[in-house]
């Protein structure tokens, strides 16, 4: 790959009075840009390598933001750009997107761009790309299958949805496509994308996690054998990610299908954005730049004047609220509903099993055990859902009260009997399982509570002839293992699946007819106000796994709160009833989406340092009645990886007021003196508290 080199730029421009100055964004934790001497022919959006830092020969990739006639810095202090990477300049709308994200999330522009750029470009390298001079539309891509499958005939609701999306072409139109799993949402996306390709446009489709992509990827590739499809997720290697980015940038790619980072793909011919499973928490990045890919996607659709389709069976309450909270066409978003299932005649029967008066056998009610046996006899599959991995959440000594705590986190070490370890799920710390109590020497120490491994073991004892597969982040810790597990389920090599929410995600298991929810009550009363929303969505999704083919499905929910409105709404398949009730509660309590929030978090070796920083931050916060400032408090998980953490919540009923406040506040925060080991960050629209 040939690179334009500007090693001589320095000497050439040394003596000239009007050196062009390149103002660039660099990945440093400071909210400012940097000036370098360059060449007038380097337009904004160009990627350059610049010397940075004290060490000789240390370079960073930077993005040219503007070309200036003068710099505030003295001319002899300006260093010269070392090299211009041989890639087309990033387009103005890409720069504007990054600038929006930088302002909205109060994060340095260079940091936003470093994250948005693919790995090789960040390192100043270029991948090898196959030569391609022909028209991209007449050449099938390398991945195209040989067989091109017939698309089903849409039924009226789907037709209407596709027509509405087509009618919105060329205008910013946010559309919430609400329909249960199997109601044909993906089919609607595919038709809408087809229409975009026919108009020579590009489509961007965001999906929550890698776990979802293989099946969907296959379906998209099969449907559009002549399109160039770029997939972008953590399973794609650095060079492939970088090639995909460049293909999107020069317009070669027709469809970009990927996880949250794909929202930053440059797309010159963009005509449609689809966000599948828009409610999924994984769209929000939880470290570094804490952005929501869904919200950035909405901004992007607005910026480019294109429709955006947000699809979900259980929309985020924020999204549902924007779509009029159940009143058709009552909100800023259009609401389109798909009310029938594609394949199964009826949705699964959801039944609530009251466990208050029953002595459970290894966590299972007689009713659930019978239901599993019945499926075994019929050669059908059952799924037991327990959203806690490991064998048991804690090891404890009944004699002295010792419990297996993590010394780095304010959390317990989880018992992993399969590999004889105690393991912290927050920091990864591991120890062997002690034989005796480390405090009093008692021999009789026990695992307390139940995780998927324990359920797997006890189910195995109860049904010795059954083939049991456990599916959680331990058993499916690599994409290959996950694929192998999915293949085994599909091939009918399992009778009973024991798993966490991993199993809830968009997978079709034709022989699965029973879902047993072993225990989910804890989320009903969790301190996090979003816990019920998550629980409803998880149970709805996991329930949707059953009975997708020609066999009717059944869902059994074990609970000690059989009359809880959340479970009743589930039994009625009534998302709108649940969401409307939740929104009413949130409005009364003053929670999002009725207020907008941001968290300032600080972490240090000592909790007091973190709290002290936040207290000072509160004092220097700009005045303003529209923004409520709460007191600094330790986080619930107040110690993690040997760092102690605290946070301060600010909120406002006005988004602009909060944004203005945050911008001013952040500027001040950067000037505060802090202890050496203290780190702070802002989380705008936080999901986790
Ligand atoms: P969702 O994305 O809402 O879960 P899908 O689009 O995946 O739903 O549809 C579920 C199943 O029904 C898929 O196998 C799909 O091919 C099939 N399907 C969707 N629409 C139709 C239709 N109009 N006629 C027949 N089958 C359909
Ligand atoms: Zn003890
Ligand atoms: Zn830990």
């Amino acid at each position: 790959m040939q690179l334009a080199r500007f090693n001589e730029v320095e000497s050439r421009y040394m003596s000239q009075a009007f050196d062009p100055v390149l103002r660039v964004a660099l990945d440093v934790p400071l909210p400012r840009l940097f000036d370098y001497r360059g060449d007038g022919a380097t337009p904004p959006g160009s990627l350059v390598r610049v010397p940075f830092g004290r060490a000789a020969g240390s370079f960073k990739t930077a993005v040219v933001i503007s070309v200036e006639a003068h710099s505030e810095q003295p001319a002899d202090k300006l260093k010269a750009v070392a090299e211009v990477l041989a890639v087309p300049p990033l387009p103005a709308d890409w720069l504007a997107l990054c600038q929006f994200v930088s302002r909205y999330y109060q994060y340095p522009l260079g940091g936003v761009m470093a994250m948005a750029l693919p790995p090789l470009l960040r390192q100043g390298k270029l991948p090898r790309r196959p030569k391609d001079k022909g028209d991209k539309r007449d050449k099938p891509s390398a991945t195209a299958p040989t067989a091109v499958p017939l698309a089903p005939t849409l039924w009226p609701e789907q037709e209407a949805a596709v027509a509405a999306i087509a009618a919105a072409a060329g205008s910013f139109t946010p559309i919430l496509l609400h329909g249960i799993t199997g109601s044909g949402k993906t089919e609607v996306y595919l038709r809408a994308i087809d229409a975009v390709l026919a108009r020579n446009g590009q489509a961007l489709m965001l999906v929550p996690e890698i776990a979802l992509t293989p099946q969907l990827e296959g379906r998209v590739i099969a449907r559009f054998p002549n399109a160039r499809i770029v997939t972008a997720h953590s399973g794609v290697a650095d060079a492939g990610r970088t090639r995909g980015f460049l293909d999107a940038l020069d317009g070669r790619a027709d469809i970009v299908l990927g996880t949250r980072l794909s929202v930053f793909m440059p797309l010159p011919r963009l005509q449609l954005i689809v966000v599948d499973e828009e409610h999924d928490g994984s769209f929000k990045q939880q470290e570094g730049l804490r952005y929501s890919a869904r919200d950035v996607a909405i901004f992007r659709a607005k910026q480019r004047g294109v429709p955006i389709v947000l699809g979900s069976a259980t929309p985020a309450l924020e999204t549902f609220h924007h779509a009029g909270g159940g009143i058709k066409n009552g909100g800023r978003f259009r609401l389109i509903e798909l009310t029938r299932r594609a394949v199964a005649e009826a949705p699964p029967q959801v039944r609530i099993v009251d466990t208050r008066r029953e002595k459970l056998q290894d966590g299972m009610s007689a009713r659930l055990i019978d239901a599993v046996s019945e499926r075994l006899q019929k050669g059908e599959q059952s799924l037991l859902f327990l959203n806690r991995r490991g064998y048991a959440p804690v090891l404890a000594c009944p004699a002295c009260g010792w419990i297996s705590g993590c010394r780095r986190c304010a959390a317990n070490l989880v018992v992993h009997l399969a590999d004889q370890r105690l393991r912290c799920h927050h920091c990864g710390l591991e120890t062997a399982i002690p034989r005796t109590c480390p405090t009093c020497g008692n021999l009789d120490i026990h695992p307390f509570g139940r995780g998927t491994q324990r359920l797997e073991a006890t189910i195995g004892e109860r049904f010795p002839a059954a083939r049991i597969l456990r599916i959680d982040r331990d058993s499916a810790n690599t994409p290959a293992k996950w694929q192998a597990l999915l293949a085994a389920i599909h091939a009918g090599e399992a009778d009973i699946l024991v798993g966490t929410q991993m199993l809830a995600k968009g997978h079709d298991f034709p022989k699965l007819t029973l879902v047993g929810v072993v225990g989910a009550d804890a989320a009903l009363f969790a301190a996090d106000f979003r816990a019920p929303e998550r629980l409803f969505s998880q149970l709805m999704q996991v329930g949707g796994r059953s009975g997708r083919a020609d066999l009717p499905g059944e869902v059994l929910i074990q609970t000690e709160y059989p009359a809880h409105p959340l479970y009743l709404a589930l039994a009625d398949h009534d998302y709108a009833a649940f969401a409307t009730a939740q929104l009413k509660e949130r409005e009364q309590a003053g929670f999002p989406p009725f207020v907008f929030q941001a968290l300032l978090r600080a972490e240090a070796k000592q909790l007091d340092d973190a709290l002290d920083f936040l207290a000072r931050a509160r004092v220097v916060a700009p005045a303003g009645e529209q923004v409520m400032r709460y007191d600094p408090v330790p986080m619930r998980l107040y110690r993690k990886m040997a760092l102690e953490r605290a946070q301060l919540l600010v909120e406002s009923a006005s988004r602009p007021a909060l944004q203005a406040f945050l911008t001013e506040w952040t500027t001040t925060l950067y000037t505060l003196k802090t202890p050496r080991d203290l780190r702070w960050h802002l989380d705008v629209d936080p999901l986790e508290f």
Side-chain angles (χ1 to χ4, degrees):
M1 202 29 86
Q2 215 190 343
L3 302 180
R5 289 186 184 276
F6 286 81
N7 289 333
E8 280 147 50
V9 166
E10 189 155 1
S11 54
R12 242 197 298 149
Y13 282 99
M14 266 308 238
S15 54
Q16 291 180 21
F18 301 106
D19 293 342
V21 171
L22 301 185
R23 191 151 292 164
V24 305
L26 272 176
D27 185 17
V28 289
L30 293 170
R32 52 164 291 205
L33 301 176
F34 296 84
D35 287 354
Y36 285 86
R37 240 172 329 112
D39 178 311
T42 313
S46 301
L47 289 177
V48 294
R49 295 284 287 170
V50 296
F52 191 84
R54 269 181 224 140
S58 90
F59 293 92
K60 274 183 181 287
T61 298
V63 181
V64 178
I65 303 300
S66 64
V67 182
E68 309 284 337
H70 301 283
S71 173
E72 313 244 298
Q73 267 171 270
D76 57 342
K77 283 268 167 68
L78 279 191
K79 294 185 186 165
V81 159
E83 128 187 7
V84 180
L85 295 191
V87 295
L90 293 153
D93 74 286
W94 190 87
L95 299 180
L97 176 72
C98 291
Q99 270 155 344
F100 165 79
V101 169
S102 165
R103 276 196 309 275
Y104 186 89
Y105 293 104
Q106 311 294 337
Y107 199 81
L109 181 60
V112 173
M113 289 180 165
M115 200 206 60
L117 288 173
L120 293 191
L121 293 188
R122 218 179 292 153
Q123 300 158 26
K125 296 183 202 147
L126 296 178
R128 206 185 283 269
R129 292 170 82 200
K131 285 229 169 59
D132 178 14
K133 298 238 171 67
D135 179 357
K136 64 206 160 348
R137 294 285 297 168
D138 10 284
K139 256 197 222 161
S141 73
T143 43
T146 43
V148 181
L150 278 181
T153 310
L154 299 183
W155 49 80
E157 279 184 337
Q158 285 175 312
E159 288 271 15
V162 172
I165 300 167
S171 72
F172 169 57
T173 313
I175 296 169
L176 168 58
L177 183 63
H178 176 212
I180 53 167
T181 311
S183 63
K185 296 185 294 298
T186 308
E187 191 54 46
V188 170
Y189 310 146
L190 295 177
R191 293 303 170 93
I193 292 172
D194 197 27
V196 163
L197 298 187
R199 296 192 308 266
N200 199 33
Q202 289 176 310
L204 170 65
M205 182 164 177
L206 300 178
V207 292
E209 273 176 13
I210 183 175
L212 247 182
T213 13
Q215 262 191 348
L216 189 63
E217 196 175 317
R219 202 163 152 192
V220 175
I221 291 171
R223 184 60 69 83
F224 304 111
N226 294 318
R228 291 189 178 277
I229 299 162
V230 163
T231 51
H233 48 71
S234 58
V236 180
D238 286 359
R241 288 257 284 282
T242 310
R243 266 198 298 276
F245 186 93
L246 292 173
D247 283 352
L249 172 64
D250 66 15
R252 264 198 264 191
D254 299 308
I255 301 171
V256 171
L257 171 64
T259 47
R260 61 175 178 245
L261 210 49
S262 327
V263 78
F264 291 106
M265 284 282 200
L267 291 157
R269 297 184 284 119
L270 179 68
Q271 289 188 15
L272 173 72
I273 303 179
V274 173
V275 183
D276 190 28
E277 309 283 354
E278 64 84 30
H279 64 279
D280 197 291
S282 72
F283 282 123
K284 170 101 183 179
Q285 180 148 300
Q286 298 291 4
E287 81 258 311
L289 170 58
R290 290 165 164 79
Y291 71 103
S292 154
R294 178 199 57 210
D295 295 350
V296 173
I298 294 170
F299 169 80
R300 199 166 183 197
K302 187 169 180 182
Q303 176 200 32
R304 297 291 295 270
V306 300
I308 177 167
V309 180
L310 307 170
S312 179
T314 52
L317 289 181
E318 280 87 350
T319 310
F320 190 63
H321 180 62
H322 288 320
I327 309 154
K328 270 205 176 87
N329 300 324
R332 294 198 286 126
F333 294 7
R334 288 196 59 172
L335 176 64
I336 299 181
E337 290 184 298
L338 300 180
T339 55
R340 56 171 283 192
R341 270 188 150 202
V343 181
E345 286 301 307
Q349 287 278 344
V350 178
R351 296 194 172 88
I352 293 169
V353 181
D354 181 351
T355 56
R356 280 173 302 180
R357 281 185 199 84
E358 192 176 343
K359 188 157 170 11
L360 299 180
Q361 304 166 49
D362 302 317
M364 307 255 294
S365 59
R367 178 113 173 255
L368 183 53
I369 293 169
D370 289 349
V372 173
S373 330
E374 193 191 313
R375 296 317 186 285
L376 281 173
Q377 274 158 26
K378 288 203 272 185
E380 296 170 10
Q381 283 174 333
S382 308
L383 186 171
L384 299 175
F385 175 74
L386 179 61
N387 210 5
R388 196 189 293 132
R389 67 194 170 93
Y391 184 83
V394 68
L395 186 69
C397 169
C400 75
W402 172 86
I403 57 168
S404 57
C406 175
R407 58 184 157 75
R408 292 158 54 86
C409 305
N412 292 331
L413 295 174
V414 176
V415 185
H416 282 255
L417 213 53
D419 37 2
Q420 288 293 317
R421 309 292 280 175
L422 293 178
R423 190 171 293 146
C424 175
H425 286 186
H426 297 284
C427 72
L429 182 86
E430 281 193 8
T431 64
I433 296 178
R435 283 165 194 280
T436 60
C437 172
T439 311
C440 74
N442 178 13
L443 283 169
D444 197 21
I445 51 179
H446 300 292
F448 276 84
R450 179 176 295 102
T452 46
Q453 288 181 10
R454 189 171 204 165
L455 188 59
E456 178 192 21
T458 50
I459 286 289
E461 284 161 23
R462 183 168 303 277
F463 301 108
R467 297 161 304 170
I468 300 169
L469 273 191
R470 173 168 54 86
I471 290 119
D472 54 29
R473 277 203 285 131
D474 297 312
S475 68
N477 58 1
T478 65
K481 281 195 200 167
W482 173 230
Q483 287 308 309
L485 285 169
L486 287 181
I489 301 171
H490 273 280
E493 287 162 18
D495 303 308
I496 303 174
L497 316 175
V498 174
T500 60
Q501 57 163 4
M502 260 195 112
L503 270 176
K505 311 262 169 179
H507 293 281
D508 247 329
F509 301 132
K511 287 180 76 184
L512 182 71
T513 58
L514 173 70
V515 171
V517 176
V518 172
D521 286 347
L524 295 177
F525 308 104
D528 181 349
F529 69 88
R530 282 195 175 84
E533 178 182 357
R534 267 184 227 123
L535 176 64
F536 187 88
S537 153
Q538 270 173 12
L539 294 186
M540 189 96 168
Q541 282 199 24
V542 83
R545 297 303 115 217
S546 74
R548 282 194 63 155
D550 47 354
L551 300 166
E554 183 181 25
V555 179
L556 293 180
I557 300 176
Q558 298 192 152
T559 175
E560 294 189 11
Y561 304 89
H564 195 284
L566 187 150
Y567 292 137
L568 296 183
L570 261 179
D572 285 344
H573 305 279
D574 196 346
Y575 165 83
F578 167 75
T580 308
Q582 278 284 309
L583 282 170
K584 206 166 276 167
E585 278 181 29
R586 291 217 194 155
E587 185 167 20
Q588 279 161 6
F591 285 135
F594 301 95
V595 297
F596 304 100
Q597 298 180 323
L599 279 176
L600 177 63
R601 296 201 191 92
E603 57 181 39
K605 294 236 168 64
Q606 301 290 330
L607 188 61
D608 282 347
D609 284 343
L611 286 168
D612 176 63
F613 168 79
L614 295 177
R616 284 189 292 134
R618 196 174 184 281
V619 171
V620 300
E625 281 174 12
Q626 287 198 67
V627 178
M628 174 84 180
R629 284 149 263 187
Y630 290 85
D631 287 327
V633 288
M635 287 176 67
R636 202 171 309 141
L637 186 69
Y638 68 88
R639 193 188 321 115
K640 187 178 174 182
M641 303 182 93
L643 287 174
E644 310 213 319
R645 320 184 307 159
Q647 64 189 19
L648 187 170
L649 175 68
V650 293
E651 68 180 29
S652 174
S654 155
R655 166 75 74 194
L658 182 66
Q659 282 299 312
F661 170 90
L662 291 178
T663 302
E664 199 182 329
W665 196 27
T666 313
T667 312
T668 316
L669 292 179
Y670 276 109
T671 67
L672 286 188
K673 277 222 174 331
T674 55
R676 199 171 260 281
D677 66 349
L678 186 132
R679 296 279 172 278
W680 61 266
H681 68 259
L682 266 178
D683 189 346
V684 179
D685 305 329
L687 284 186
E688 310 272 342
F689 279 81

